[in-house]
Amino acid sequence: MDGKQFHWRVRSIVGVLFVILILFAWVLYDLQYVHGADYLAQSRRKIAKTETVEAARGKILDRYGRVLVTNRESYNVSLDTSFMEDTNATLLKLLDICRQEGVTWTDTLPVSAEAPFVFTFDTAGSGAISNLYALSSSLKWTSTLPEREEADGIRAAAQEGQGVSYPSADTFLDKLRAYYEVDPLLPGNEARALVGVRYELSLRSREVTYNAYVFAQDVEMSFIVQVKEADLPGVNIDTTTVREYNTAYAAHLLGRVGLMSRAEWDNVYQALDYPYNASVGKEGAELAFESYLHGTPGKRNLEINDQGKVVSGDDNWVVDPISGEVLAPDPGDNVIITLDIKLQEAVERILANGIESLKSEDTEGGAAVVIDVRDGGVLAMASYPTFDLTTYTQNYNELLSDPLNPLLNRATREVYPPGSTFKMVTAIGALEEGIIEPDTEILDTGRYRYYDDYQPQCWIYRDSGGARTHNLENVSDAIMDSCNVFFFDAGRRLGISLLEQYTAAFGLGEPTGIELSEETGWMDGPEYTESQGQTWYEGNTLPAAIGQGNSRFTPLQLANYVATLANGGTHYAAHLLKEVKSNDFSQVVERYEPIVLNQLDIDPENLSAVTEGMLRVTTDGSAKAYFADLGVQVAAKTGSAQVSSATESNALFVCFAPYEDPEIALAIVVEKGGSGSLLASIAAEILEYYFSSGSGMETVTTENTLLR
């Protein structure tokens, strides 16, 4: 290579390097001087944060795999005022869009939404009132509020149906308008709406409540488009899931999901490492099986711009530095419950129609429970009146103010005198203790004359004006005829102490084991009487022995008691859980094993004498007409329990079937429904559906389930 060629190449390389250096210098100049301020501001406006992502909740299915509760994608609106340059202006634009699109937003301020403004303590929840006073105290608004005791009094009066409210809210609103710097020229109704949103934001910022402020839930796409076009800083549209109900029935059993309260966070979920804005089960199966359904939330890294919008990180899941595990959300497991939704639908419908058909001026509500006598599984549990979970939120205030209380699960949360349905307990106790034999006969004299100063009557003697009695009756006769005198004598001789023991052995007045919240009730006796500041007398055993004393039991307890009688004395815990499967249905996580609470070793001859009397109720007794053409033999007992001399008695009916090989037990209670025999038609229709519809034979194959 000659010298000229070498120098030319050197100069070429130097030239290229010079050009590159010039370009590099230009890029640096552009970055630092031309756009430096923009990039600096942009870098400062981006915020990195870690977000908790809630896991999809597991499904709830009935015993045959029918999906009862699932999830659907939904959009919520949340607010972050740190990105709002003018908070009030931004919120007013958002509220205007809400009005245009008919979107309701979360507002718990106990002041009416429109003028004339009044406090609404009568319809506000206790939590909303507590939040108001806690926040107002810290911000020194208390002087503009009524006394707390007065607010509580208004709410209490409203619960009694008086419907009053405290009238002077204008001063309080003026205080809030000034505190939140609301334009004095803004019309009153718009100012009230803005103040309500600012109030909700204040609650969260001061941790009066731990719930995140979800401004609006489950909004439509047209609303989202309007919000996006308005480009409102700090207004975020979050993708989430909401529960979707595939049935309008079983509302009391399935329950609902909602944001946890502060008390729930403090007392339960904080220790379980739940995020404080998580949705949790509130009632029913959703609450009972929360640990299975909830799943494990995930964590992801996000980058947010100065408008509060996510600019990166949608799938950037956090990695645990110790285990190396990717912290993506793990969906909840699927819970299969013992319920047969088709039977549930039939029971709810039949109960409602039956109550309406016999409805008098006094009749209020009722309940019916169908239970599997072989393991205690609840097949159906109806409470009347009821409600629809799909419209619960929209109808909440109406449901809350309904005097018949449709939100109450009467099957587990209401207690009733058992009336004559209790007489089998007295019969078993007297037989097992040798007080009577199956063929022992007792003379019904109309009045039970053992005590000089207390001589209660048999119902047939009372109803006939003293013209009729049952004459001589053995235990089977007495159960069929519901002879009071027979059970007065058997109960007195058995004694209250043993009667209480047999009552508890059958699970009456005791926890049933059901996973739902329940009342346990109580058995009448010296201990209960003394707890009420009263004196127990020996003669009180007589009404207790026929279910007419102060005993109170739930319909579920009555059904389980009859199931225990039907299966020969095995007292199973009542339950809703059948099994739990993984989210993809590929594995069984847990399978329920029947729990025996206790075993009554009833002599077969004694048991036969009692159940034969129950059978004769439907073959020869007061319920004969309703069961003649049913196709299966049914053992039953009617009952009526007086609750007031001024109203009808509660009506009760219990039974099991088939008589020879029992499968199910049924208990029905109708408040102030009159005679228990009036419920026989309801029971017969439920049993006809169960035995004629193929209930228990239909199986629905769930998606992703292996066939065997």
Side-chain angles (χ1 to χ4, degrees):
M1 179 185 299
D2 58 23
K4 288 184 178 181
Q5 188 176 7
F6 174 76
H7 289 297
W8 180 82
R9 289 186 176 181
V10 171
R11 284 194 293 270
S12 298
I13 292 171
V14 171
V16 171
L17 291 174
F18 182 75
V19 171
I20 292 173
L21 184 61
I22 293 298
L23 290 173
F24 184 68
W26 169 253
V27 170
L28 290 176
Y29 178 79
D30 182 69
L31 288 173
Q32 295 185 25
Y33 293 97
V34 178
H35 296 101
D38 293 337
Y39 289 131
L40 179 62
Q42 186 178 22
S43 67
R44 289 175 176 170
R45 288 194 297 263
K46 287 186 178 179
I47 300 173
K49 61 180 287 190
T50 300
E51 179 184 60
T52 298
V53 180
E54 197 167 345
R57 201 167 174 84
K59 298 176 182 177
I60 301 177
L61 303 87
D62 86 340
R63 67 187 299 114
Y64 301 119
R66 307 180 187 99
V67 178
L68 307 178
V69 187
T70 185
N71 305 303
R72 65 175 172 81
E73 192 173 75
S74 172
Y75 300 97
N76 290 349
V77 182
S78 61
L79 306 178
D80 189 338
T81 56
S82 65
F83 295 102
M84 298 179 186
E85 292 184 6
D86 187 336
T87 301
N88 286 352
T90 301
L91 294 178
L92 284 171
K93 291 178 183 177
L94 179 61
L95 291 170
D96 187 50
I97 296 173
C98 288
R99 295 187 188 95
Q100 293 176 35
E101 294 294 322
V103 171
T104 57
W105 58 90
T106 304
D107 184 341
T108 63
L109 180 65
V111 175
S112 58
E114 297 181 352
F117 298 111
V118 294
F119 286 109
T120 55
F121 298 127
D122 53 345
T123 57
S126 58
I129 294 176
S130 296
N131 284 341
L132 175 69
Y133 278 85
L135 185 60
S136 62
S137 177
S138 65
L139 299 179
K140 298 183 173 28
W141 298 336
T142 312
S143 61
T144 64
L145 288 169
E147 292 296 324
R148 175 62 192 267
E149 293 75 13
E150 190 170 5
D152 287 337
I154 293 168
R155 187 168 182 272
Q159 289 177 334
E160 296 174 3
Q162 298 178 26
V164 296
S165 61
Y166 194 86
S168 303
D170 289 292
T171 304
F172 178 60
L173 278 179
D174 289 341
K175 185 79 171 180
L176 291 179
R177 286 181 67 148
Y179 181 79
Y180 293 127
E181 299 178 346
V182 175
D183 185 349
L185 299 179
L186 194 67
N189 290 349
E190 292 184 41
R192 162 62 185 85
L194 177 58
V195 162
V197 177
R198 294 297 304 269
Y199 166 78
E200 296 292 340
L201 290 166
S202 294
L203 289 180
R204 276 68 182 182
S205 66
R206 292 176 178 267
E207 294 188 344
V208 173
T209 174
Y210 279 118
N211 291 345
Y213 181 35
V214 178
F215 173 79
Q217 295 179 299
D218 201 15
V219 296
E220 301 290 339
M221 188 55 65
S222 58
F223 175 83
I224 296 172
V225 170
Q226 287 237 44
V227 170
K228 294 289 187 184
E229 289 178 350
D231 195 26
L232 302 176
V235 179
N236 303 316
I237 306 297
D238 305 316
T239 304
T240 184
T241 58
V242 295
R243 292 305 249 174
E244 185 168 58
Y245 303 95
N246 295 336
T247 176
Y249 297 89
H252 296 101
L253 288 180
L254 296 176
R256 62 183 181 87
V257 170
L259 292 172
M260 70 176 75
S261 67
R262 178 170 183 169
E264 289 170 329
W265 162 256
D266 286 340
N267 299 329
V268 181
Y269 295 112
Q270 184 178 15
L272 298 176
D273 202 28
Y274 275 48
Y276 63 74
N277 60 345
S279 293
V280 296
K282 292 292 188 177
E283 298 106 10
E286 293 280 20
L287 173 59
F289 308 122
E290 168 68 26
S291 60
Y292 300 120
L293 295 166
H294 185 73
T296 304
K299 292 184 178 181
R300 64 182 174 187
N301 294 316
L302 298 178
E303 194 172 68
I304 301 172
N305 65 17
D306 63 342
Q307 299 292 303
K309 314 300 181 187
V310 175
V311 294
S312 66
D314 281 354
D315 296 313
N316 188 17
W317 301 110
V318 174
V319 177
D320 189 296
I322 299 175
S323 66
E325 179 187 3
V326 177
L327 301 182
D330 185 19
D333 295 323
N334 301 306
V335 173
I336 293 89
I337 59 177
T338 59
L339 198 71
D340 176 352
I341 193 59
K342 295 298 183 184
L343 178 62
Q344 176 74 22
E345 292 173 7
V347 172
E348 287 194 30
R349 183 177 63 253
I350 293 166
L351 179 67
N353 292 340
I355 290 177
E356 290 296 332
S357 69
L358 55 85
K359 200 162 190 178
S360 69
E361 193 174 297
D362 293 326
T363 305
E364 294 177 351
V369 179
V370 182
I371 199 167
D372 190 332
V373 305
R374 297 161 293 192
D375 68 0
V378 173
L379 304 177
M381 182 187 289
S383 180
Y384 175 87
T386 185
F387 62 99
D388 188 342
L389 282 168
T390 62
T391 58
Y392 171 84
T393 302
Q394 301 93 300
N395 299 337
Y396 176 72
N397 288 333
E398 181 181 344
L399 293 169
L400 196 63
S401 61
D402 190 326
L404 293 183
N405 199 359
L407 297 177
L408 173 66
N409 183 0
R410 286 169 161 83
T412 62
R413 298 298 307 276
E414 190 63 278
V415 292
Y416 302 94
S420 293
T421 64
F422 180 81
K423 288 175 177 175
M424 287 84 76
V425 176
T426 304
I428 291 293
L431 288 164
E432 287 294 296
E433 296 299 323
I435 304 298
I436 59 172
E437 300 293 333
D439 58 356
T440 299
E441 293 185 324
I442 295 175
L443 178 64
D444 176 9
T445 56
R447 289 182 179 274
Y448 188 63
R449 296 183 168 86
Y450 183 83
Y451 299 105
D452 293 334
D453 56 348
Y454 176 49
Q455 298 184 351
Q457 302 177 30
C458 191
W459 68 268
I460 192 172
Y461 182 82
R462 182 188 63 244
D463 289 356
S464 66
R468 299 172 58 199
T469 69
H470 289 119
N471 295 315
L472 285 169
E473 299 232 306
N474 63 26
V475 67
S476 299
D477 298 329
I479 289 174
M480 179 188 71
D481 292 332
S482 201
C483 178
N484 288 348
V485 168
F486 183 97
F487 291 102
F488 287 150
D489 193 56
R492 179 192 62 78
R493 293 160 63 191
L494 179 64
I496 191 61
S497 179
L498 284 172
L499 189 58
E500 287 178 315
Q501 291 179 35
Y502 278 92
T503 301
F506 277 107
L508 296 172
E510 303 290 329
T512 66
I514 193 74
E515 298 91 342
L516 307 181
S517 175
E518 67 171 337
E519 296 294 327
T520 56
W522 56 87
M523 171 61 187
D524 195 10
E527 183 178 349
Y528 173 76
T529 302
E530 289 167 11
S531 74
Q532 302 301 301
Q534 300 172 355
T535 302
W536 174 266
Y537 299 100
E538 184 181 322
N540 293 137
T541 304
L542 304 187
I546 65 167
Q548 295 289 352
N550 290 320
S551 299
R552 298 291 185 273
F553 311 127
T554 67
L556 175 60
Q557 288 175 336
L558 292 173
N560 207 22
Y561 138 60
V562 174
T564 302
L565 197 62
N567 67 34
T570 303
H571 178 207
Y572 289 105
H575 65 98
L576 267 181
L577 183 66
K578 186 173 186 288
E579 62 182 0
V580 181
K581 290 189 175 182
S582 59
N583 189 263
D584 61 359
F585 291 97
S586 63
Q587 298 179 15
V588 175
V589 177
E590 182 174 334
R591 183 174 283 116
Y592 181 87
E593 295 295 335
I595 298 172
V596 177
L597 297 178
N598 60 279
Q599 181 74 46
L600 287 86
D601 296 320
I602 305 173
D603 184 292
E605 187 179 2
N606 293 338
L607 181 64
S608 179
V610 171
T611 57
E612 181 187 339
M614 295 175 67
L615 175 64
R616 289 169 59 189
V617 171
T618 64
T619 57
D620 303 307
S622 59
K624 175 182 177 179
Y626 301 102
F627 294 90
D629 301 321
L630 191 60
V632 293
Q633 287 190 311
V634 179
K637 185 71 190 79
T638 62
S640 58
Q642 189 171 6
V643 292
S644 167
S645 59
T647 64
E648 283 279 11
S649 299
N650 287 345
L652 302 99
F653 191 94
V654 297
C655 63
F656 68 84
Y659 176 70
E660 293 295 341
D661 186 17
E663 293 181 24
I664 62 171
L666 167 64
I668 305 171
V669 178
V670 175
E671 296 165 2
K672 303 173 186 176
S675 171
S677 60
L678 297 175
L679 306 188
S681 61
I682 298 176
E685 193 173 349
I686 291 172
L687 294 174
E688 181 181 20
Y689 176 87
Y690 177 86
F691 289 109
S692 66
S693 67
S695 183
M697 301 300 293
E698 180 183 354
T699 303
V700 179
T701 302
T702 306
E703 184 180 358
N704 296 324
T705 300
L706 294 176
L707 298 176
R708 293 180 292 183

